Amino acid sequence: MGFPGTWMTESESMVYRVVPKCACSTIGQIMFYSDHGEFFDGDIHDAKAGIHKWALDASQGPITDNVTARKSYAFTCVRNPYTRVLSSFFDKICGIQRNGRRYRGNLVPLLVQKYGIDVGGDDGKQEFDQIASFRRFLLFARDTIRWRRPMDPDIHWSAVSGHVSTFIINGGTYDNIFWTEQFNDGMQQVLDAVDTPHKVDLAAIPRFNESEGHGPKRAHPVEDYFDDLSMHLMREIYKRDFDLFKYDFDNPGNKLPVGEIDLDEVHAKLGD
């Protein structure tokens, strides 16, 4: 299976397991800058040179050699399940993508038909009942993850622990897992642990949120989107994420972690 979703600097200073909706655009640009002294011109997800990616055939050998021999500092970044799934809904379901079209073509019509989801107009901005539509989307997300119908789960709302685990199962070891909610602290730990061709001043790095502006703004506090049924579905889908990455399941309004991530526990429980 190899190391899907894994990026590595060309200098092999660091290895990163991408987790969608967890600051991956900013992290990728920091990695690119640390090698080249400039940012990639465009969405880092589109880069086909200047950074190793598992999706690029020529990168698979160098990534495999590095990760299996533990040559470089390896890390990933995680996010609160409540805010992550909401972000996925507003970006991928309600929003218009960079290509000017809806995400995954016929996905939104399918959701309208089968789940009664309303996503507003084709400009991605029209008013609609965000809370009701999100709760129906969450039911759909559960169906894709639990039963793989009406489609396979999408990487943007499948559990973070699933993304993180493939790196471990296939022979990788994390030196650091940090939280999106405390990004500067976590990313600085990574930068302090590695030598890069170009020094990175984290305070001067812009945030590359490539999904910003794709869809409507969230109109309510996070906790308003989650009633008892929604929280039951969240536990069903993301219990391992809450447990391993120390997020507060009982309070959707608290996006901050409530404990420290235990790397030994993560490797033991996700390495099965």
Side-chain angles (χ1 to χ4, degrees):
M1 186 176 178
F3 299 98
T6 299
W7 294 355
M8 179 174 73
T9 50
E10 288 189 330
S11 63
E12 301 196 20
S13 59
M14 61 184 105
V15 172
Y16 164 52
R17 202 316 177 181
V18 178
V19 180
K21 310 304 291 182
C22 298
C24 48
S25 295
T26 298
I27 293 171
Q29 287 282 15
I30 289 171
M31 293 172 69
F32 192 94
Y33 183 93
S34 75
D35 264 1
H36 306 291
E38 61 184 11
F39 298 115
F40 177 73
D41 184 12
D43 186 339
I44 190 64
H45 293 84
D46 296 336
K48 291 184 168 52
I51 185 170
H52 284 299
K53 297 178 176 179
W54 185 259
L56 305 174
D57 290 344
S59 294
Q60 293 188 359
I63 288 174
T64 300
D65 291 345
N66 186 296
V67 173
T68 53
R70 292 202 64 189
K71 292 179 185 177
S72 303
Y73 192 90
F75 70 98
T76 194
C77 180
V78 299
R79 184 176 180 183
N80 184 298
Y82 286 117
T83 56
R84 181 171 176 265
V85 74
L86 271 171
S87 175
S88 295
F89 171 69
F90 283 109
D91 173 20
K92 299 302 177 187
I93 306 303
C94 303
I96 304 300
Q97 305 308 299
R98 283 180 293 128
N99 60 12
R101 296 192 290 270
R102 292 282 186 185
Y103 182 60
R104 294 182 71 152
N106 64 353
L107 174 59
V108 169
L110 172 80
L111 293 178
V112 171
Q113 178 190 358
K114 288 187 174 293
Y115 290 85
I117 291 175
D118 179 9
V119 296
D122 282 343
D123 59 358
K125 305 287 172 65
Q126 187 175 314
E127 291 296 314
F128 63 99
D129 188 333
Q130 293 186 356
I131 291 174
S133 283
F134 168 73
R135 290 174 180 173
R136 290 169 179 165
F137 162 74
L138 194 59
L139 190 62
F140 159 76
R142 189 281 307 269
D143 290 349
T144 67
I145 289 165
R146 186 75 183 271
W147 294 295
R148 309 186 79 86
R149 66 172 192 249
M151 57 181 278
D152 283 349
D154 186 273
I155 60 171
H156 296 92
W157 56 78
S158 57
V160 167
S161 52
H163 292 287
V164 171
S165 69
T166 62
F167 189 80
I168 300 170
I169 290 168
N170 293 311
T173 304
Y174 291 105
D175 296 290
N176 195 339
I177 298 174
F178 63 89
W179 301 291
T180 304
E181 295 79 12
Q182 296 178 2
F183 180 83
N184 281 5
D185 290 344
M187 194 68 223
Q188 192 62 59
Q189 289 174 4
V190 174
L191 295 171
D192 289 345
V194 302
D195 293 319
T196 58
H198 295 270
K199 182 173 175 56
V200 178
D201 178 4
L202 201 54
I205 298 290
R207 293 295 173 261
F208 293 87
N209 184 357
E210 298 297 346
S211 64
E212 183 70 28
H214 283 182
K217 296 283 187 198
R218 178 163 53 82
H220 309 282
V222 170
E223 57 270 27
D224 286 5
Y225 292 85
F226 297 94
D227 59 3
D228 288 347
L229 176 58
S230 302
M231 290 179 69
H232 174 81
L233 293 173
M234 288 294 293
R235 183 189 293 275
E236 187 176 344
I237 304 169
Y238 302 117
K239 183 179 188 304
R240 187 171 259 190
D241 288 0
F242 285 109
D243 292 347
L244 285 178
F245 307 125
K246 311 304 179 186
Y247 286 110
D248 186 353
F249 170 76
D250 295 314
N251 180 9
N254 175 26
K255 68 179 183 179
L256 295 175
V258 292
E260 294 298 319
I261 295 173
D262 183 336
L263 282 178
D264 289 338
E265 179 189 22
V266 171
H267 285 102
K269 291 188 175 176
L270 296 186
D272 296 338

